[in-house]
Amino acid sequence: MSDKRVVVVTGASRGIGRAVAVALSGPGAEVIVNYRSGREAAEETAAAVSSVGGAPHLMPFSVADAEAVKEAFKEILKVHGRVDVLVNNAGVARDNLLALMKGAEWDEVLDTNLKSIFLCSQAVVKAMMKQRYGRIVNITSIVGVMGNPGQVNYCAAKAGIIGLTRSLARELISRNITVNAVAPGFIETDMTRDMPDKVREGLLSQIPAGRYGLPEDVAAAVAYLVSEGAGYVTGQVLHVNGGMFMG
Ligand code: NAP
């Protein structure tokens, strides 16, 4: 059994997940780098984790696949004996106006962004309860609070994450397990890179900070929530958006 801090980050091959994996690395961290299919990118994350002293472990599986999640966490717990930190970050967007949205677009987004958090949290929660220690951070979004045309599926999933976070926080705080959410605004990643220039400029004009966010901005918020000093903070939604929305 590992006596190091065991950290699981879903969707850690790119973007925010990679920055979170690096921010939570450091000497004494075993970092499980989950991804779905982007092996090369995941290897880059692993190299970045190693460069700051963490021990990376690549684990490809789909967070939307109940059986795959069960198997993966069984393996993680067999090898490491514990999970201290779970960051539910994996997510996808499949944008469309509601009038045109296909059932498959709704299902994929709800399964990957929301059901995944039910599955991954359920897979670690018993171990965390036994340990009497755990930190769970769920990545929601500014649009889960504000709404956004063309994203009813994504916004429903992200709003659902907030309800799940608050309920689970109430279930688990007596066992010294905190559950919080981080709500990024507009962050520079593959997810937002292909937006038309006009849309990007329109968004920028709504950000008082005068710049888009970086994955590292979000990672710093996650690092705070999993820190020892945040042990009395639970059920919260920490907005990281340059002042675009204040909730
Ligand atoms: P990204 O750059 O598109 O990266 C998404 C990550 O999720 C990749 O590592 C991807 O792995 C993984 N992933 C996708 N589907 C998966 C699945 N079924 N199983 C396991 N891994 C899966 O996205 P991002 O911008 O960093 O977003 C990360 C999180 O922040 C998401 O939950 C997103 O909704 C949220 N968020 C982002 C923004 C933003 O402005 N970027 C704003 C608010 C919230 P593969 O490459 O292997 O598929």
Side-chain angles (χ1 to χ4, degrees):
M1 193 209 279
S2 171
D3 55 0
K4 295 181 169 180
R5 188 166 222 222
V6 181
V7 174
V8 179
V9 184
T10 69
S13 57
R14 299 182 274 123
I16 293 169
R18 176 185 289 174
V20 168
V22 173
L24 304 194
S25 296
E30 304 278 354
V31 183
I32 316 309
V33 174
N34 160 257
Y35 62 102
R36 185 182 38 184
S37 55
R39 177 89 194 177
E40 232 172 87
E43 281 169 358
E44 283 176 34
T45 300
V49 164
S50 297
S51 74
V52 291
H57 306 275
L58 296 190
M59 273 212 114
F61 62 90
S62 172
V63 291
D65 178 336
E67 271 314 301
V69 169
K70 218 186 259 175
E71 282 309 306
F73 280 92
K74 214 160 106 187
E75 180 67 18
I76 292 166
L77 287 166
K78 194 170 108 192
V79 173
H80 300 284
R82 57 188 293 122
V83 171
D84 299 287
V85 175
L86 169 64
V87 182
N88 287 306
N89 164 78
V92 292
R94 297 286 179 261
D95 298 350
N96 216 338
L97 295 171
L98 176 126
L100 304 172
M101 187 169 286
K102 297 184 177 64
E105 291 169 335
W106 173 270
D107 288 344
E108 185 183 356
V109 168
L110 269 288
D111 287 353
T112 308
N113 293 272
L114 180 59
K115 188 175 180 193
S116 61
I117 298 184
F118 160 69
L119 294 173
C120 294
S121 302
Q122 196 175 49
V124 295
V125 101
K126 278 192 190 141
M128 285 182 173
M129 284 162 78
K130 248 193 232 156
Q131 291 160 201
R132 294 210 159 247
Y133 179 85
R135 296 275 190 268
I136 299 175
V137 179
N138 302 321
I139 306 300
T140 176
S141 170
I142 187 173
V143 299
V145 182
M146 292 181 73
N148 201 23
Q151 289 200 309
V152 292
N153 49 0
Y154 186 79
C155 296
K158 294 303 188 185
I161 289 173
I162 294 173
L164 183 158
T165 298
R166 291 179 172 152
S167 302
L168 191 57
R170 288 180 188 274
E171 287 185 19
L172 295 177
I173 189 58
S174 65
R175 308 294 182 101
N176 196 28
I177 300 164
T178 65
V179 187
N180 290 286
V182 170
F186 184 91
I187 310 297
E188 291 275 17
T189 68
D190 293 345
M191 193 177 265
T192 48
R193 205 152 282 145
D194 293 336
M195 278 181 176
D197 283 351
K198 234 178 151 185
V199 177
R200 288 172 63 93
E201 282 158 23
L203 283 167
L204 185 57
S205 71
Q206 296 170 48
I207 304 173
R211 67 168 177 89
Y212 304 120
L214 298 172
E216 290 72 20
D217 293 316
V218 181
V222 176
Y224 164 66
L225 290 170
V226 308
S227 70
E228 291 315 304
Y232 199 58
V233 178
T234 198
Q236 302 304 309
V237 180
L238 180 47
H239 287 272
V240 180
N241 60 31
M244 192 177 185
F245 170 81
M246 300 176 191

